[in-house]
Amino acid sequence: MTIEEYKEKTLRREYIATGSEAHKLMTRAARDAQKITSEINGGYHTAEELRELFSRLIGKEVDDAFGLFPPFYTDFGKNITLGKHVFINSGCCFQDQGGIEIGDDCLIGHQVVLATLNHDLTPENRGSMLPAPIKIGKNVWIGAHATLLPGVTVGDNAVIAAGAVVSKDVPSNAVVGGVPAKIMKTLGAEN
């Protein structure tokens, strides 16, 4: 199985059984991601060096305005797509096997978790997984320690408050917070 075949499988949200070709590819990709993230996290790098390393990690070029403050963690790497002018603050964990898409001009706060997999609930199949992509629109700000769960879509201009756990889609221009996250207000609306 190739990375592209794997991405198509996860885009369709197909079950990944333990020991399957997709599962084996995930393990190989994880080893590659560990090598690159250990380089990212192992010492000081200029902004240009970080852009080059992150481009290697995701398998495509990031733009010149991309910013990253390490450390950064991912256990796959090749299923992340970034728009232009994205900033990722330190300590973030992207579980991108199910796919992560981040739009232009997004700010990702300290220690944000983007999780795109759920394990099978039945004990005998617990090692098998269900992928679901996370899609983040343009001009989104995600506050420190927020967690986005599998399958969530965040609309343009939304704000995710620090510490929020987002388990449902977030509309454009919404400010959400809490556990589970709920709409606190809408930007531009009279409150």
Side-chain angles (χ1 to χ4, degrees):
M1 173 171 277
T2 67
I3 292 283
E4 290 310 312
E5 290 169 331
Y6 174 87
K7 287 180 184 180
E8 290 170 14
K9 181 178 182 67
T10 59
L11 190 59
R12 294 186 302 267
R13 298 182 181 206
E14 291 181 15
Y15 189 79
I16 300 171
T18 301
S20 67
E21 288 304 310
H23 191 263
K24 291 174 186 173
L25 181 128
M26 287 169 63
T27 302
R28 289 191 307 272
R31 300 294 175 241
D32 291 339
Q34 288 170 355
K35 289 176 191 172
I36 298 169
T37 56
S38 67
E39 190 172 348
I40 288 171
N41 300 334
Y44 174 79
H45 300 284
T46 65
E48 295 79 19
E49 291 168 336
L50 286 170
R51 284 192 293 273
E52 188 276 324
L53 287 164
F54 206 86
S55 294
R56 275 186 27 218
L57 177 66
I58 68 172
K60 52 195 137 203
E61 287 293 315
V62 297
D63 77 299
D64 289 343
F66 171 75
L68 172 69
F69 285 0
F72 175 81
Y73 305 97
T74 185
D75 46 7
F76 192 75
K78 299 296 188 241
N79 212 356
I80 298 171
T81 301
L82 299 178
K84 297 184 183 307
H85 204 260
V86 171
F87 174 72
I88 300 170
N89 219 322
S90 62
C92 289
C93 297
F94 287 15
Q95 180 199 48
D96 67 296
Q97 289 93 333
I100 294 172
E101 183 180 323
I102 300 173
D104 296 344
D105 301 305
C106 287
L107 302 172
I108 312 295
H110 289 87
Q111 298 181 342
V112 165
V113 174
L114 303 180
T116 65
L117 291 176
N118 275 318
H119 285 275
D120 194 312
L121 292 177
T122 59
E124 60 274 8
N125 294 317
R126 189 68 41 88
S128 298
M129 291 163 270
L130 299 160
I134 290 174
K135 294 185 180 183
I136 300 168
K138 296 178 180 178
N139 300 307
V140 172
W141 173 25
I142 302 175
H145 297 274
T147 298
L148 279 65
L149 298 179
V152 167
T153 296
V154 178
D156 294 345
N157 306 311
V159 177
I160 312 296
V165 175
V166 182
S167 59
K168 295 182 179 173
D169 291 352
V170 176
S172 294
N173 302 306
V175 177
V176 301
V179 180
K182 295 185 180 356
I183 296 174
M184 299 164 59
K185 70 183 205 173
T186 301
L187 299 172
E190 294 293 326
N191 293 322

